[in-house]
Amino acid sequence: MTSAPVPGVRTRTARPEDYDAIVRVADAWWGRPVTALLNRLYLHHFCDTSLIAETESGELAGFVIGFLSPSRPDEAYIHFTGVAPGMRRTGLARSLYERFFRLARSDGRSVVRAVTSPDNARSIAFHEALGFTCSAPVTGYDGPGQDRVVLSRPL
């Protein structure tokens, strides 16, 4: 299923300077501290495979920080995703993911992966609705006490 573009929103490839706009809103969008999950290096080294959605007035509406794995030539990875609270349930996240899927597919990738916390039911439901499968929780995936589920979607 392909989603239509979201009216009043344009999507473009990220630029390194987008980092500042993202970290300005990330904690508020999530309602908890999350900026430590996104280092500046992602926007410096993976801007060509990351996406920014902006309103017509230039406000950040959403983003996907993703990359084509340099170590696993069949895989792409979505590291961090966000949608402004007022833009949720508009299809924006789906649209961003689908654009990332096309980018990964055009580079010969056959699977997209992501991880999330086992108790992040909204993230798991969203990914499953897009065709991802969810692993059982992996104990200590990101260190002691940092269990994760691995999400995988064939392209």
Side-chain angles (χ1 to χ4, degrees), residues 45-57:
H45 295 279
F46 303 116
C47 58
D48 291 342
T49 54
S50 297
L51 303 167
I52 299 293
E54 297 173 316
T55 65
E56 291 172 346
S57 63

Side-chain angles (χ1 to χ4, degrees), residues 132-147:
F132 283 80
T133 57
C134 181
S135 75
V138 179
T139 303
Y141 183 92
D142 276 334
Q146 300 295 313
D147 302 350

Side-chain angles (χ1 to χ4, degrees), residues 29-30 83-85 88-89 116-129:
W29 286 8
W30 270 263
V83 172
R88 293 180 185 157
R89 308 203 62 78
T116 194
S117 170
D119 53 348
N120 191 340
R122 282 180 39 196
S123 176
I124 291 169
F126 169 76
H127 285 88
E128 287 179 338

Side-chain angles (χ1 to χ4, degrees), residues 29-87:
W29 286 8
W30 270 263
R32 61 185 169 85
V34 295
T35 56
L37 300 172
L38 183 64
N39 297 318
R40 188 176 292 275
L41 72 87
Y42 286 99
L43 273 290
H44 278 279
H45 295 279
F46 303 116
C47 58
D48 291 342
T49 54
S50 297
L51 303 167
I52 299 293
E54 297 173 316
T55 65
E56 291 172 346
S57 63
E59 290 181 53
L60 185 63
F63 59 89
V64 165
I65 307 302
F67 58 89
L68 306 173
S69 174
S71 301
R72 297 180 179 204
D74 62 326
E75 293 185 21
Y77 184 81
I78 294 177
H79 173 66
F80 204 73
T81 303
V83 172
M87 294 299 300

